[in-house]
């Protein structure tokens, strides 16, 4: 009888125990990373607390399954469930949304492994294009559809807002997949040559240029310049340098850095606009109030030139309704300045 490899080299219980510990530690690390990224993404939510226009966990989850295998899905499911439960406050919708997030990563990774050369999907332009198609058309719509349908059915969203929330959800997942996944996969697959001093120096130069250009091109303080939109074209410089002189990894890192600065500039500008809107509303309301006060006071003070001897008739014209000895005081009106504005007032 021919012995198998497992018979000649049996796996010891200690080895099995170590593999189990490594698997659990890996799940914990993936789950915690997903949870942190999910909470940071939910902090950027706009039209709905559960729908963010930037969702980095999608890219991380897709990269984790491509690199570590399908066994990583429990960590993604738990991280997504806890993050969404802390947002919605209900475990039922959180489980359903986490299921959509897990299916998104599993389906995307499965199609990448079959159609786009697996973890080597960024090795050629053809496979990069396939990766983009998978993320945009196949993977990300799953999470958006499951998530918004869950929110509508459970009463956390309205059917009238289905399309807007779905589009925001899908765009956020798509951006996370296209920006984050290449960085994680390419950095994880880097060999020893990438960490030599000369290679690290060249990569540091690309990263430094990307940081400098991102700070200048997307800095909200520079948006007050005479031609703010032209600064965005500076982002082409580090991308061209990384693509032509370096490689896919440095290009992905430069894109990730520039995307981060773009998000920072957009959020800062949005908060500035929101901060100015209440002041405009207050100013508008104050102007309307002053106008109404002027109209009312001018109507009350049409008796400014009434004489004291007209008595009760003068007071009735003013709308004061006084009589007797107080009649002569009701007709006394004057122009006064209140808070720097000329407002007609009556002195009774």
């Amino acid at each position: 009888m021919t012995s198998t490899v497992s018979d000649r080299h049996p796996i010891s219980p200690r080895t099995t125990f170590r593999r189990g510990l490594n698997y659990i530690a890996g799940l914990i690390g993936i789950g915690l990373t997903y949870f942190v990224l999910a909470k940071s993404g939910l902090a950027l939510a706009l039209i709905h607390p559960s729908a963010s226009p930037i969702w980095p966990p999608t890219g991380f989850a897709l990269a984790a399954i491509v690199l570590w295998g399908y066994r990583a899905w429990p960590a993604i499911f738990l991280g997504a469930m806890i993050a969404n439960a802390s947002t919605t406050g209900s475990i039922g919708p959180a489980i359903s949304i986490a299921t959509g997030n897990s299916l998104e990563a599993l389906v995307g990774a499965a199609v990448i492994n079959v159609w786009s050369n697996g973890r080597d999907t960024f090795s050629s332009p053809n496979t990069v294009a396939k990766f983009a198609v998978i993320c945009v058309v196949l993977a990300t719509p799953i999470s958006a559809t499951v998530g918004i349908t869950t929110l509508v059915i459970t009463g956390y969203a309205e059917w009238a807002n289905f399309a807007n929330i779905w589009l925001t959800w899908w765009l956020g997942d798509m951006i996370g997949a296209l920006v984050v996944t290449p960085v994680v996969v390419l950095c994880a697959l880097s060999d020893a040559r990438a960490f030599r001093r000369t290679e690290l120096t060249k990569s540091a130069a690309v990263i430094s240029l990307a940081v400098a250009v991102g700070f200048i091109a997307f800095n909200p303080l520079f948006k007050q310049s005479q031609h703010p939109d032209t600064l965005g074209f500076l982002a082409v410089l580090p991308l061209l340098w990384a693509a032509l002189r370096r490689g896919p990894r440095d290009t992905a890192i430069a894109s990730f850095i520039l995307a981060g600065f773009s998000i920072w500039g957009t959020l800062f500008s949005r908060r500035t606009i929101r901060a100015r809107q209440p002041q405009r509303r207050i100013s508008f309301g104050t102007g309307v109030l002053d106008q109404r006060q002027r109209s009312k006071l001018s109507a009350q003070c049409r008796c400014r030139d009434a004489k004291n001897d007209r008595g009760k008739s003068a007071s009735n014209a003013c709308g004061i309704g006084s009589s007797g000895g107080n009649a002569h005081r009701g007709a006394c009106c004057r122009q006064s300045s209140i808070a720097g504005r000329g407002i007609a007032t009556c002195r009774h």
Side-chain angles (χ1 to χ4, degrees), residues 127-280:
T127 54
V128 170
K130 290 181 179 179
F131 168 80
V133 171
I134 293 170
C135 292
V136 175
V137 178
L138 297 178
T140 53
I142 297 176
S143 177
T145 303
V146 174
I148 183 57
T149 303
T150 301
L151 293 177
V152 170
I153 292 176
T154 55
Y156 288 96
E158 298 180 357
W159 285 107
N161 299 327
F162 186 96
N164 292 332
I165 300 176
W166 188 94
L167 182 61
T168 303
W169 197 308
W170 172 67
L171 288 174
D173 286 12
M174 182 184 65
I175 293 173
L178 295 178
V179 175
V180 177
T181 303
V183 176
V184 177
V185 172
L186 293 172
C187 289
L189 296 179
S190 299
D191 54 9
R193 291 178 299 177
F195 296 97
R196 294 177 181 176
R197 180 176 298 180
T198 56
E199 295 296 325
L200 289 177
T201 302
K202 295 177 181 179
S203 297
V206 174
I207 293 173
S208 300
L209 179 62
V211 171
V213 170
F215 183 80
I216 295 174
F218 302 108
N219 194 325
L221 300 179
F222 296 160
K223 294 297 182 181
Q224 301 175 1
S225 61
Q226 190 174 4
H227 303 286
D229 296 334
T230 58
L231 296 176
F233 291 99
L234 295 175
V236 178
L237 298 178
L239 293 177
L240 284 177
W241 185 13
L244 298 177
R245 302 294 299 176
R246 298 298 299 152
R249 187 194 63 179
D250 289 354
T251 305
I253 294 175
S255 301
F256 179 80
I257 293 173
L258 293 172
F261 276 104
S262 176
I263 294 169
W264 167 62
T266 302
L267 292 177
F268 187 88
S269 301
R270 172 173 162 265
R271 291 175 180 175
T272 303
I273 293 174
R274 280 190 172 184
R276 291 176 180 176
Q277 285 178 349
Q279 297 178 359
R280 294 177 181 176

